[in-house]
Amino acid sequence: MRMQRDTSLLLIVDLQVGLMPVLEAGEQAVEEASWMGGVAEALGVPVWLTEQYPEGLGESVPSLVSSLARPRTWRKTHFDAHAESGFARALADTGRRQIVLCGAEAHICVLQTGLSLLAAGYHVAWLTEAMSSRRLEEATLARRRMERAGAQAVSADMVAYEWLERCDDARFKDIHRRFLKERASRPLRFD
C-alpha cells in the first residue's frame, strides 16, 4: 500500500531528553524524525509527539520540538500510546488510517503502540532510520516483530516521495529545495 498524505499521520514516540544519553543512534532518530516532521507539516500531514512520564524522562528533545510548527503532544504513562486516555478516540476522529511511526525505545513504547494500532485496524509504516533503542539488536527485533504483525518498514525518502506523488508542481520544488536535496548525501543507518 502506498502512503497517501491525505490519510497519513506522523507519530513520533518518546524522543525525550532523559533517554538520549542511553539511546544507540538517538541523534539520528531525532534528526530523521525532525526531517520527516518538516516534510509532513509542509504537506498538511498532522504530526503527533508522545512523552513517556516527562516528570522523570524530561520533555521532547528541544531540537525536535523547535523543528515543528504545530505538533500535538500527548503525555503518557502507558507504554502503549494507543491505550492512553483520549488518544484512541482523538486518532480515530482525525480519519487518518496510515500511521508513520518512529521514536524510542523501538522495542518498548514504539512496538507496543504499533501493535495496538495494527490491532485497531490502522496501516502502520515503521520509519526505520528514525527508530532507536538502548541496544541496536532490540530495535532490530522490534522491527522484525512489527513486520510479522503487518507493519511495513519504510524509509523517510519513500514516505516523502509517495506523499508528493509528482515532480511537476510547486509543492515538489519547495520540498525538494528545503528537504530532499540536502538529505540525499547524508549517511544513514537503516536497521
Side-chain angles (χ1 to χ4, degrees), residues 56-117:
L57 294 175
E59 294 184 348
S60 296
V61 174
S63 63
L64 171 63
V65 175
S66 68
S67 73
L68 302 170
R70 49 191 184 280
R72 179 167 185 182
T73 301
W74 293 87
R75 293 179 171 233
K76 64 187 185 70
T77 55
H78 291 86
F79 300 123
D80 169 10
H82 198 251
E84 205 62 44
S85 177
F87 185 95
R89 171 62 26 218
L91 182 58
D93 288 348
T94 69
R96 307 253 173 182
R97 302 302 298 170
Q98 294 182 326
I99 310 302
V100 179
L101 184 62
C102 63
E105 287 192 58
H107 68 292
I108 303 171
C109 294
V110 184
L111 174 67
Q112 289 185 35
T113 299
L115 291 172
S116 285
L117 291 168

Side-chain angles (χ1 to χ4, degrees), residues 137-174:
E137 294 81 5
E138 286 180 314
T140 301
L141 286 172
R143 175 183 169 177
R144 288 183 195 145
R145 187 169 172 197
M146 284 294 295
E147 288 176 317
R148 283 193 303 272
Q152 290 184 321
V154 297
S155 73
D157 266 10
M158 288 179 193
V159 174
Y161 280 95
E162 288 174 33
W163 282 348
L164 283 163
E165 297 181 71
R166 56 189 307 148
C167 69
D168 61 347
D169 63 13
R171 182 178 294 163
F172 174 81
K173 289 177 177 83
D174 176 56

Side-chain angles (χ1 to χ4, degrees), residues 21-40:
V22 299
L23 293 177
E24 190 167 330
E27 290 88 19
Q28 177 180 298
V30 170
E31 186 173 357
E32 294 306 302
S34 298
W35 185 89
M36 189 85 265
V39 172

